[in-house]
C-alpha cells in the first residue's frame, strides 16, 4: 500500500471518529454553530481526501453528507435526530469501505447500490433552500463586481477564418468519411526548432502516418534565402487521417509535446466557399426551401435544390452552400437544425458560428495564441488553455474593487508576479519587464488600470515579430529582468527544510507529536526486555569471578558497573512504558455512540457520564479492556436500566444514568461501570444457577446474596430471559471475566435490588514486567505470578487429610484444598518434602478461593519480561508465557487459574 | 530550488501535493492552517502558495488577505477548493489568490500551472 | 552523393540526409532559379524539405515514390 493511501486511511479514521464525536456533542447542544462548523469541516475534508483516490462509492456518500452539512451549517436545514442517524449510518458505511481498502488495497464494485441509496437519503434531507439565502451570496458578488469602477478596454479579438483551407471536394469527402462513422483526426505537428540536432526527421515521421485523407506542410520561414538557417526547423505539418489516435500517439511518442490531436466532427467540414454575390433567385429559393423543410418534404427539397444548382454559377458561395445542402440531405437528413441554418445562411453568405461542432476548427484566437505565434513556442492544447485560464484569472483579480488598500497593493504585486511568471514561461523576458513597469504605475496610481491595460494590449495582435529580432531584444533585457524578478530574500534556508511526509497534528501545531508504528515500539520494548535480562547476567558473572576465578577486585568492579547499567536499563524500561501508555479515552470514546444507538433501539433513556478518561494504562491493557467493557455496558443497558415507564412507576427519573469511571490506584487501573437500574436479584440468580446445574441444593440454601450475585461470572450463566440481539449472544459475564483475567485483571460486582449495579474491573497499569516467584518441582523450575500468590507455607505431611479422595489441610481454621503441581502437569511423581517431612505449599487465590499447590521447593522472586508463547505452545493454557533468566535459561511461567 | 508552501488541514492532501511537487524537483513546506502558514510566509521565502480554503483557526481567505497586506514579495497563490463555484472563485480572488483550481488537482495540471507561475517554461 | 549538382540542376537520389541541407541552401543561394530532379529520390530529410519550401524550385522529374510526390506537390505549391 502506498504511503498516500496509508496516510489517507489513518487520517480518515480520525475524522470518522471526530464526526461521530461532534454528532454526539450536537445532541447535547443542538444549536451550537461552532460544533456545526466543525462537523462540516470534518465531512468536507474527508470528502476532499477521498477525492484524491478512485473510490467513487465513498466520495459519493461523503459528497452528499457534505452538502447536507453545508445546508445545516447555513441554517437551511434544521439539525435533527433523524439527520444525525443518517449521517452516522453514512459514516459507518464509509468506515466499512475503508476497512475494505485497508484489507485489499482497493474497493470492489459491490457497494455502488448502497452508496447510491445512502447518498439519496442524505440528499432527501436537504429541503430546497429558501430563495433569499442563496441570493445573499450572489448579491455579495455582484456588489463586489459592480462597485468596480474600472473600465475594461474591449479587446477586439476577431474570429479568424478557419485555419484549415480545405478544397470543397476534399471537405465533402472528409464529411462523408466522418459521417460513415470513422473517427477523423486532425494532427498538428510543430517540431521544435532544434529537432534536427537531435537526429530527428519530422518529415520522415509524418510520412509514417497511415490513412491520410489530407495533408499540409507550412514553414514559418520567411527570411531571405541567404539568411536562412537550414538547421532550424520551422515546419508545421498538418494531417487529417482516420488512423486510430492511440496508434498516432504511439507513433509520436517521443515528441508528444509537439503534437496536437483533434477529433473533427462531420459538421466541422461544412464550410461553403466561393464568391459572395447575390443571385436574383435566392430569396425565393430560401422561402420555398424553408417551407419544404417545415413540411418535411425531403424529396421535393432535393429536387428544387438540384434545379437551383443548375441555374447559378458554380463558383458562387451560394452554389457551394447548395451543394452542401444536398450532401446533408443525403447523409444527415434527420438534422433539421443543421439544414435550417444552412438554408438561412444563404441570406448572408455567412455560416453563423453554426455548428458548435465547426468551432472545433474555428478556434478563437486567444491572447495566448498570439504569444505563441510571436515566440514560436508550440503549446499543447492543454497548456494553451492553462495560460488562458491564468490570464483570465488575473483579469478577474484586477477588476475587483479596492476594499482594503494594503490587500489591494499586495494583490497587484501578486498579479504582477504571476504575469511575469507567464511571460518567462513563454520565454518573453521583455514582456516581463513591461509587466514590472505596469506594476510600478499601478502602485503609484493606486489603481489596477495599468496592469489591466497591459493585459488587454497583450491580447491585441501587433506586428508579426520575427523571432530573430525578438531574441536580440531578449539578450539585452535578460539581465535586467533577472535583477527585477529575483527578490533579495531568495536565499536558501536550510533550517526550514522539513520532510514532506511528516505529519502535523491539528490541535497543536507547535507540539512535536510523532505517530509511530506500534510494531516499532514493540520491537524496542523487546530489545529493552532482552537488555534487562542480559544485564541480569552480570551478578552471576561477578559471582563467578569471585568464586571460580578468585578475582575479588574484578568482581567488585563488575558489580559497580552493573549498578550503573541497571539504573539506565530501569530508566529505559520506565520510558518505554510511558510511551506505551495510552488514555482509557481510547476505549471510552466509542461509548457515547454505542449507548445512544442501543438505548434508542431499546426505547430507553440513558444519560451517559464518563469520568477519568485521561487515566492511562499500557496499550495492551487498554486494548484488552475494550471488548469486556463493551459487553458490560451492553449488559447494563439491556438488563440493568429499565424502560422509562417502569422507572417512573418505581419513583425514579425516566432517564437512567450510566457512569463509566476510570481511576488509578497505585499500580492498577480501576474501571467502574455503575448504573441506577433495577439491580440484580440474588434470588433470581440463585434459582437460575440451580436450574442450570451450576450449584447444588445445599449451596442454593446456604449461599450468601453477594456470592449469589457473583454467580453471574460463572461459566455458562446468562441472565437474559430473551436472548436479545444486543448482549445475550449466548455468552455471559464469564467471557468478560476470562478476558480480564487474561491480562491479570480482576472483576467484581455489587448490586442492590431496585437501586442499581456496580461492576468494577481492576487491571495492572502495565503488563510488561511481571514479578514472579520461582518454584521447583520435579527438578524443574517454574515461575508463578506473585500477584496470585497469597502466601507460602510448609505443610507437614501429617496435617494433610483426604476428603472425598481429595487432599486438604486446615490453615488458620479454614479448609484449603491441596493439589500437587506434578499431578497438575500430568507427571505421575510425588512431590518431594523437605527434611522435616514438610511440603512446600503455594497458597494461591483463584476465583475468591484459596487453593494450595504442593511443590518441591521455593526459590527467589524475580522481575521478568513475560512473553506469551507463540505457535503450538501458545495453545497450552496452563502457562501464561515464558521468560529468559539472567543465566540465559528459560523460565516457564505457570497460569494457576487455567491449571486448576 | 524553488520553495512552495502547501497549506491544508488534511494531511493526506498535503502529502499528495508535496509528493507531486517534490517529484518534480521542488522544495516544499507545509502548514496546517492559516496561522501557521502566515508565520512561515513571514519568516521564509516562498515562490508559490498552494492554499486550501476550509481550515480551522484561520481559513484560506483570511490567510491570503493577511499575506497580501504584508510588505513582502508577493508570490502567486493557487487556491484549491472542492467546489467549482463562481462565488468561491471570486472570493478567492478578492482575498488575493491568483488561480482557483478544483480538487483533486491532477498531477500534470498542478505541475503545469506551477511551472508557468514560476516562469519556468511549459 | 545523395544530391548531384549540375550547373543549375540538383539531382536527388535515394534517401537525402540532413547533412545535404547546407549544400542545398548554398546551391539555391547561387542559383535562385535552380531546378530539381527527384525521380530516383525516395525520401528527403525535413531540413532539405524546408529549404525547398522556401525556394519552391521547378521539378524537372517527379519522384517515382507517389507519397513523396504528393507531399512535394503540397509543399512546393
Amino acid at each position: 500500500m502506498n504511503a498516500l493511501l496509508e496516510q489517507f486511511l489513518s487520517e480518515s479514521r480520525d475524522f470518522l471518529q471526530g464526526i461521530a464525536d461532534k454528532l454526539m456533542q450536537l445532541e447535547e447542544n443542538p444549536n451550537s454553530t461552532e460544533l456545526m462548523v466543525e462537523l462540516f469541516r470534518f465531512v468536507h475534508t474527508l470528502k476532499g481526501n477521498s477525492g484524491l483516490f478512485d473510490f467513487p462509492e465513498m466520495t459519493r456518500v461523503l459528497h452528499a453528507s457534505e452538502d447536507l452539512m453545508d445546508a445545516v451549517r447555513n441554517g437551511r436545514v434544521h439539525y435533527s435526530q433523524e439527520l444525525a442517524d443518517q449521517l452516522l449510518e453514512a459514516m459507518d458505511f464509509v468506515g466499512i469501505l475503508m476497512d475494505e481498502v485497508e484489507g485489499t488495497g482497493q474497493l470492489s464494485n459491490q457497494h455502488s447500490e448502497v452508496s447510491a441509496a445512502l447518498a439519496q437519503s442524505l440528499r432527501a434531507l436537504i429541503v430546497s433552500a429558501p430563495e433569499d439565502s442563496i441570493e445573499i451570496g450572489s448579491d455579495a458578488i455582484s456588489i463586489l463586481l459592480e462597485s468596480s469602477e474600472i473600465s475594461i478596454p474591449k479587446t477586439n479579438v476577431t474570429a479568424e477564418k478557419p485555419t484549415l483551407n480545405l478544397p470543397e471536394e476534399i471537405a465533402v469527402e472528409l464529411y462523408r468519411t466522418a459521417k460513415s462513422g470513422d473517427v477523423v483526426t486532425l494532427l498538428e505537428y510543430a517540431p521544435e526548432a532544434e529537432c534536427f540536432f537531435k537526429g530527428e526527421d519530422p518529415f520522415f515521421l509524418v510520412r509514417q502516418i497511415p490513412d491520410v485523407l489530407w495533408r499540409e506542410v507550412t514553414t514559418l520561414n520567411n527570411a531571405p534565402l541567404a539568411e536562412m538557417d537550414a538547421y532550424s526547423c520551422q515546419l508545421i505539418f498538418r494531417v487529417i487521417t482516420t488512423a486510430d489516435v492511440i496508434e498516432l500517439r504511439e507513433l509520436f511518442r517521443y515528441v508528444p509535446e509537439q503534437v496536437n490531436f483533434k477529433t473533427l466532427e462531420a459538421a466541422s467540414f461544412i464550410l461553403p466557399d466561393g464568391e459572395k454575390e447575390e443571385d436574383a433567385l435566392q430569396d425565393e429559393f430560401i422561402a420555398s426551401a424553408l417551407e419544404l423543410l417545415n413540411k418535411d418534404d425531403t424529396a421535393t427539397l432535393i429536387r428544387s435544390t438540384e434545379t437551383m444548382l443548375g441555374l447559378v454559377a458554380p463558383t458562387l458561395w451560394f452554389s457551394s452552400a447548395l451543394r452542401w445542402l444536398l450532401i446533408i440531405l443525403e447523409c444527415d437528413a434527420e438534422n433539421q437544425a443543421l439544414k435550417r441554418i444552412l438554408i438561412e445562411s444563404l441570406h448572408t453568405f455567412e455560416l453563423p458560428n453554426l455548428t458548435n461542432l465547426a468551432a472545433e476548427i474555428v478556434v478563437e484566437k486567444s491572447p495566448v495564441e498570439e504569444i505563441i505565434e510571436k515566440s514560436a513556442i508550440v503549446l499543447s492544447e492543454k497548456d494553451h488553455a492553462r495560460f488562458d485560464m491564468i490570464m483570465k484569472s488575473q483579469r478577474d483579480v484586477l477588476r475587483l474593487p479596492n476594499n482594503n488598500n494594503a490587500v489591494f497593493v499586495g494583490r497587484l504585486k501578486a498579479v504582477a508576479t504571476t504575469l511575469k511568471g507567464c511571460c518567462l514561461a513563454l520565454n518573453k523576458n521583455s514582456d516581463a519587464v513591461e509587466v514590472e513597469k505596469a506594476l510600478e504605475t499601478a502602485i503609484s496610481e493606486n489603481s489596477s488600470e495599468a496592469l489591466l491595460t497591459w493585459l488587454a494590449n497583450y491580447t491585441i495582435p501587433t506586428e508579426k515579430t520575427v523571432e530573430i529580432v525578438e531574441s536580440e531584444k531578449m539578450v539585452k533585457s535578460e539581465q535586467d529582468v533577472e535583477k527585477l524578478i529575483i527578490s533579495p530574500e531568495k536565499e536558501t534556508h536550510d533550517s526550514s527544510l522539513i520532510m514532506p511526509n511528516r505529519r502535523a497534528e491539528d490541535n497543536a501545531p507547535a507540539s512535536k507529536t510523532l505517530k509511530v508504528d506500534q510494531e516499532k515500539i514493540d520491537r524496542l520494548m523487546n530489545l529493552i526486555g532482552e537488555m534487562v535480562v542480559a544485564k541480569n547476567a552480570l551478578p552471576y558473572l561477578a559471582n563467578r569471578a569471585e568464586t571460580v576465578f578468585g578475582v575479588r577486585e574484578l568482581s567488585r568492579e563488575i558489580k559497580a558497573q552493573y549498578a550503573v547499567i541497571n539504573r539506565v536499563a530501569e530508566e529505559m524500561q520506565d520510558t518505554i512504558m510511558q510511551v506505551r501508555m495510552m488514555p482509557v479515552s481510547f476505549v471510552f470514546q466509542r461509548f457515547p455512540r454505542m449507548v445512544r444507538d442501543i438505548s434508542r433501539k431499546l426505547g430507553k433513556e440513558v444519560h451517559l457520564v464518563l469520568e477519568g478518561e485521561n487515566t492511562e494504562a499500557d496499550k495492551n491493557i487498554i486494548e484488552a479492556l475494550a471488548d469486556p467493557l463493551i459487553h458490560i455496558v451492553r449488559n447494563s443497558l439491556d438488563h440493568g436500566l429499565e424502560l422509562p415507564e417502569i422507572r417512573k412507576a418505581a419513583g425514579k427519573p425516566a432517564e437512567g444514568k450510566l457512569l463509566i469511571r476510570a481511576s488509578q490506584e497505585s499500580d492498577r487501573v480501576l474501571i467502574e461501570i455503575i448504573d441506577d437500574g433495577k439491580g440484580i436479584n440474588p434470588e433470581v440468580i440463585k434459582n437460575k444457577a440451580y436450574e442450570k446445574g451450576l450449584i447444588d441444593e445445599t449451596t442454593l440454601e446456604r449461599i450468601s446474596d453477594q456470592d449469589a450475585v457473583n454467580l453471574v461470572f460463572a461459566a455458562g450463566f446468562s441472565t437474559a430471559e430473551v436472548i436479545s440481539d444486543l448482549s445475550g449472544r449466548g455468552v455471559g459475564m464469564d467471557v468478560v471475566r476470562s478476558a480480564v483475567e487474561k491480562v491479570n485483571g480482576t472483576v467484581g460486582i455489587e448490586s442492590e435490588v431496585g437501586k442499581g449495579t456496580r461492576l468494577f474491573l481492576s487491571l495492572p497499569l502495565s503488563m510488561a514486567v511481571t514479578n514472579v516467584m520461582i518454584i521447583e518441582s520435579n527438578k524443574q523450575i517454574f515461575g508463578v505470578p506473585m500477584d496470585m500468590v497469597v502466601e507460602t507455607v510448609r505443610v507437614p505431611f501429617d496435617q494433610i487429610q483426604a476428603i472425598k479422595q481429595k487432599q486438604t489441610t486446615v490453615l488458620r481454621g479454614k479448609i484449603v484444598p491441596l493439589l500437587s503441581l506434578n499431578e497438575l502437569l500430568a507427571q505421575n511423581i510425588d512431590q518431594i518434602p523437605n527434611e522435616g517431612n514438610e511440603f512446600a505449599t503455594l497458597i494461591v487465590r483463584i476465583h475468591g478461593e484459596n487453593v494450595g499447590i504442593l511443590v518441591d521447593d521455593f526459590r527467589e522472586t524475580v522481575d521478568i519480561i513475560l512473553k506469551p508463547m507463540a505457535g503450538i505452545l501458545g495453545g497450552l493454557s496452563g502457562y501464561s508465557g515464558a521468560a529468559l533468566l539472567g543465566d540465559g535459561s528459560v523460565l516457564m511461567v505457570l497460569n494457576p487459574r487455567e491449571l486448576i | 530550488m524553488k520553495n512552495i508552501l502547501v497549506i491544508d488541514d488534511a494531511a493526506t492532501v498535503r502529502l499528495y501535493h508535496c509528493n507531486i511537487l517534490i517529484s518534480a524537483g521542488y522544495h516544499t513546506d507545509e502548514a496546517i492552517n492559516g496561522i501557521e502558514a502566515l508565520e512561515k510566509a513571514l519568516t521564509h521565502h516562498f515562490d508559490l502558495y498552494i492554499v486550501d480554503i476550509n481550515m480551522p483557526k484561520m481559513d484560506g481567505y483570511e490567510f491570503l488577505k493577511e499575506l497580501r497586506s504584508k510588505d513582502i514579495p508577493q508570490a502567486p497563490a493557487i487556491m484549491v477548493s472542492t467546489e467549482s463555484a463562481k462565488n468561491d472563485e471570486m472570493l478567492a480572488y478578492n482575498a488575493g489568490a491568483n488561480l482557483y483550481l478544483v480538487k483533486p488537482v491532477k498531477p500534470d495540471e498542478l505541475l503545469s500551472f506551477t511551472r508557468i507561475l514560476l516562469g519556468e517554461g511549459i | 552523393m545523395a544530391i548531384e549538382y549540375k550547373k543549375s540542376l540538383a539531382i536527388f537520389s535515394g534517401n537525402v540526409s540532413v547533412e545535404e541541407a547546407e549544400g542545398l541552401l548554398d546551391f539555391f543561394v547561387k542559383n535562385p532559379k535552380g531546378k530539381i530532379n527527384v525521380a530516383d529520390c525516395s525520401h528527403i530529410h525535413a531540413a532539405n524539405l524546408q529549404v525547398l519550401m522556401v525556394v519552391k524550385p521547378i521539378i524537372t522529374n517527379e519522384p517515382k515514390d507517389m507519397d513523396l510526390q504528393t507531399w512535394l506537390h503540397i509543399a512546393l505549391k
Side-chain angles (χ1 to χ4, degrees), chain A residues 521-583:
Chain A
I521 300 287
D522 287 348
R523 169 117 186 86
L524 191 56
M525 188 159 107
N526 282 339
L527 288 172
I528 292 173
E530 280 174 32
M531 206 184 86
V532 168
V533 170
K535 163 209 81 177
N536 286 343
L538 288 177
Y540 285 87
L541 187 63
N543 217 17
R544 272 164 62 82
E546 190 171 341
T547 56
V548 181
F549 303 101
V551 202
R552 198 164 222 196
E553 199 73 359
L554 182 62
S555 166
R556 211 179 301 129
E557 272 178 38
I558 293 174
K559 277 181 186 158
Q561 203 57 40
Y562 169 75
V564 176
I565 296 175
N566 192 37
R567 183 179 52 78
V568 176
E570 272 172 12
E571 266 179 40
M572 275 170 73
Q573 208 171 334
D574 273 359
T575 313
I576 196 75
M577 291 308 154
Q578 289 301 319
V579 171
R580 289 179 54 90
M581 293 292 233
M582 56 193 286

Side-chain angles (χ1 to χ4, degrees), chain A residues 70-174:
Chain A
D70 187 41
V72 172
R73 182 179 65 151
N74 295 334
R76 280 184 282 140
V77 171
H78 284 289
Y79 178 82
S80 68
Q81 205 71 261
E82 188 199 358
L83 189 145
D85 285 343
Q86 279 287 355
L87 267 178
L88 284 172
E89 199 186 324
M91 293 311 130
D92 283 347
F93 174 70
V94 172
I96 290 166
L97 297 188
M98 280 177 190
D99 289 343
E100 187 176 325
V101 172
E102 186 154 31
T104 65
Q106 56 190 4
L107 216 48
S108 64
N109 49 10
Q110 60 184 14
H111 304 290
S112 58
E113 269 176 48
V114 184
S115 157
L118 273 172
Q120 200 182 354
S121 51
L122 285 166
R123 293 201 182 279
L125 290 169
I126 311 173
V127 283
S128 59
E131 284 302 307
D132 55 289
S133 69
I134 288 179
E135 270 180 16
I136 292 166
S138 46
D139 272 359
I141 285 302
S142 52
I143 288 165
L144 212 61
L145 289 175
E146 273 165 19
S147 60
S148 156
E149 296 285 315
I150 306 150
S151 63
I152 319 297
K154 277 273 173 215
T155 60
N156 44 358
V157 178
T158 46
E160 289 191 8
K161 275 252 138 199
T163 44
L164 289 182
N165 227 334
L166 300 174
E168 190 175 307
E169 60 278 15
I170 291 175
V172 169
E173 193 196 326
L174 291 170

Side-chain angles (χ1 to χ4, degrees), chain A residues 444-700:
Chain A
S444 66
E445 288 173 359
N446 203 18
S447 145
S448 317
E449 195 88 38
L451 280 164
L452 269 171
T453 311
W454 183 88
L455 251 184
N457 285 331
Y458 210 59
T459 68
I460 298 168
T462 48
E463 85 279 33
K464 282 236 171 194
T465 330
V466 184
E467 223 210 334
I468 304 158
V469 181
E470 192 65 39
S471 54
E472 275 170 11
K473 250 197 283 174
M474 263 161 53
V475 176
K476 270 183 223 152
S477 56
E478 206 154 12
Q479 286 146 340
D480 303 341
V481 178
E482 284 298 302
K483 267 181 222 151
L484 288 169
I485 289 165
I486 296 171
S487 55
E489 295 93 321
K490 202 183 144 69
E491 281 162 0
T492 46
H493 27 78
D494 291 322
S495 60
S496 72
L497 291 182
I498 285 170
M499 291 307 289
N501 47 0
R502 112 211 126 116
R503 188 194 153 91
E505 293 299 315
D506 272 9
N507 46 2
S511 84
K512 303 264 192 290
T513 311
L514 199 64
K515 271 205 177 178
V516 181
D517 195 341
Q518 200 198 328
E519 267 179 38
K520 291 182 187 163
I521 300 287
D522 287 348
R523 169 117 186 86
L524 191 56
M525 188 159 107
N526 282 339
L527 288 172
I528 292 173
E530 280 174 32
M531 206 184 86
V532 168
V533 170
K535 163 209 81 177
N536 286 343
L538 288 177
Y540 285 87
L541 187 63
N543 217 17
R544 272 164 62 82
E546 190 171 341
T547 56
V548 181
F549 303 101
V551 202
R552 198 164 222 196
E553 199 73 359
L554 182 62
S555 166
R556 211 179 301 129
E557 272 178 38
I558 293 174
K559 277 181 186 158
Q561 203 57 40
Y562 169 75
V564 176
I565 296 175
N566 192 37
R567 183 179 52 78
V568 176
E570 272 172 12
E571 266 179 40
M572 275 170 73
Q573 208 171 334
D574 273 359
T575 313
I576 196 75
M577 291 308 154
Q578 289 301 319
V579 171
R580 289 179 54 90
M581 293 292 233
M582 56 193 286
V584 292
S585 61
F586 178 78
V587 176
F588 280 16
Q589 65 181 2
R590 58 181 99 173
F591 288 129
R593 167 86 193 271
M594 198 186 98
V595 169
R596 173 183 180 279
D597 284 357
I598 295 176
S599 57
R600 180 111 9 113
K601 224 178 233 174
L602 296 171
K604 293 179 181 177
E605 290 172 26
V606 182
H607 179 57
L608 174 71
V609 181
L610 297 174
E611 283 179 15
E613 290 136 293
N614 293 328
T615 311
E616 289 190 325
D618 188 85
K619 188 174 191 311
N620 286 352
I621 302 285
I622 297 289
E623 279 167 357
L625 190 64
D627 283 342
L629 213 48
I630 287 170
H631 202 86
I632 292 168
V633 170
R634 278 183 169 160
N635 251 316
S636 290
L637 293 169
D638 216 7
H639 313 306
L641 294 163
E642 316 90 324
L643 288 164
E645 312 84 69
I646 297 174
R647 289 182 64 90
K648 274 189 237 164
K652 294 201 262 192
E655 191 184 56
K657 185 177 166 185
L658 183 64
L659 169 68
I660 305 177
R661 177 164 57 203
S663 53
Q664 189 181 338
E665 278 183 10
S666 72
D667 63 344
R668 296 186 81 80
V669 184
L670 189 68
I671 312 260
E672 296 163 279
I673 302 97
I674 303 163
D675 67 52
D676 66 346
K678 64 184 176 205
I680 297 172
N681 186 341
E683 292 307 316
V684 174
I685 301 289
K686 275 188 231 173
N687 290 328
K688 188 110 187 245
Y690 176 62
E691 271 169 39
K692 295 209 168 185
L694 294 169
I695 52 170
D696 55 25
E697 216 161 315
T698 27
T699 321
L700 179 63

Side-chain angles (χ1 to χ4, degrees), chain B residues 28-45:
Chain B
T28 63
D29 199 347
E30 301 173 40
I32 62 162
N33 59 38
I35 292 177
E36 199 184 300
L38 198 62
E39 275 171 18
K40 294 198 171 184
L42 292 177
T43 49
H44 299 304
H45 171 82

Side-chain angles (χ1 to χ4, degrees), chain B residues 73-86:
Chain B
Q74 296 291 347
I78 301 178
M79 192 147 232
V80 283
S81 162
T82 46
E83 301 306 324
S84 65
K86 193 70 195 166

Side-chain angles (χ1 to χ4, degrees), chain A residues 366-386:
Chain A
S366 70
V368 177
E369 201 158 333
E370 298 302 334
I371 300 163
I372 301 154
E373 279 189 9
K374 280 194 272 175
S375 60
I377 290 175
V378 179
L379 295 180
S380 72
E381 207 173 331
K382 268 187 190 167
D383 285 328
H384 186 283
R386 281 166 192 164

Side-chain angles (χ1 to χ4, degrees), chain A residues 179-241:
Chain A
K179 258 305 171 213
S180 73
D182 280 339
V183 176
V184 179
T185 305
L186 168 66
L187 181 153
E188 286 181 299
Y189 173 34
E192 57 181 347
E194 313 80 58
C195 70
F196 296 158
F197 296 105
K198 296 181 181 172
E200 290 170 15
D201 180 0
F203 185 39
F204 182 80
L205 196 54
V206 168
R207 288 186 67 188
Q208 309 308 308
I209 301 170
D211 307 321
V212 175
L213 298 174
W214 175 85
R215 62 191 97 193
E216 185 190 78
V217 55
T218 51
T219 175
L220 298 168
N221 226 323
N222 53 4
L225 199 59
E227 288 169 28
M228 183 180 163
D229 179 357
Y231 293 122
S232 164
C233 184
Q234 301 291 330
L235 296 169
I236 295 174
F237 293 94
R238 286 199 285 191
V239 171
I240 294 178
T241 166

